[in-house]
Amino acid sequence: MNTQKSIEADNTVSWSTLPPWIQEHTSTMYAFLQTLEVTQDMVKDEDMMHTAFIHKSYAADYSGDYVYNERLEFLGDAILSAIVAKLLYIDFPNHAESDLTLYKIALVRAESLAAVAQDIWLDKVILLWKWEEKNN
C-alpha cells in the first residue's frame, strides 16, 4: 500500500490509501487526543489528523510524495507564539518589550516544546524516523 497524497479539485490534500501500520495507529492517535479532552466526534477531518501525527523524517523513509505535518507545524508555531505573547503581555504589564521577548523565546523554543511533548506523551504517538526519536 501507499500513503501518497492526492490533490483534489478544490486543492485540498487527501490520503489515497493508508498503509496498515498507519490505520492501526489511528486508534492510538484518538486515544492521545482524548487525553487532551478532544473527542473523536470533534475530529472533523481524519486525513488532517493523520497528517498532524506524521513527521517529515518519517515520511522521508518511504518513496513517494507523502503528506506530513511540517505546514501544520508552521501554523501551530505562529498560533502558539501569539498566545504566549498575549499571556505575557497581560501577566507582566510592567515589563519592557525586550524582557517579554526573552520570556517568549524561552517558552516557545524547541527544547521547551520537546519537554512538553514528552510530558504529554506526544513523542509516543507522533510518527518519527528513529534518528529523530533519539535526538529530539
Side-chain angles (χ1 to χ4, degrees), residues 45-115:
D45 185 342
E46 196 169 80
D47 290 343
M48 182 77 70
M49 179 190 73
H50 288 118
T51 300
F53 283 100
I54 297 178
H55 190 267
K56 182 179 182 178
S57 64
Y58 184 86
D61 280 350
Y62 303 95
S63 61
D65 190 15
Y66 294 94
V67 180
Y68 50 86
N69 68 1
E70 193 170 62
R71 288 178 50 86
L72 292 173
E73 185 178 354
F74 167 78
L75 181 61
D77 288 348
I79 293 168
L80 179 62
S81 184
I83 291 169
V84 169
K86 179 181 178 181
L87 292 173
L88 290 171
Y89 183 84
I90 291 168
D91 290 347
F92 300 100
N94 298 322
H95 284 69
E97 179 273 338
S98 57
D99 291 336
L100 297 176
T101 297
L102 292 174
Y103 298 157
K104 183 177 68 135
I105 289 169
L107 291 168
V108 299
R109 63 191 287 226
E111 294 83 2
S112 300
L113 298 178

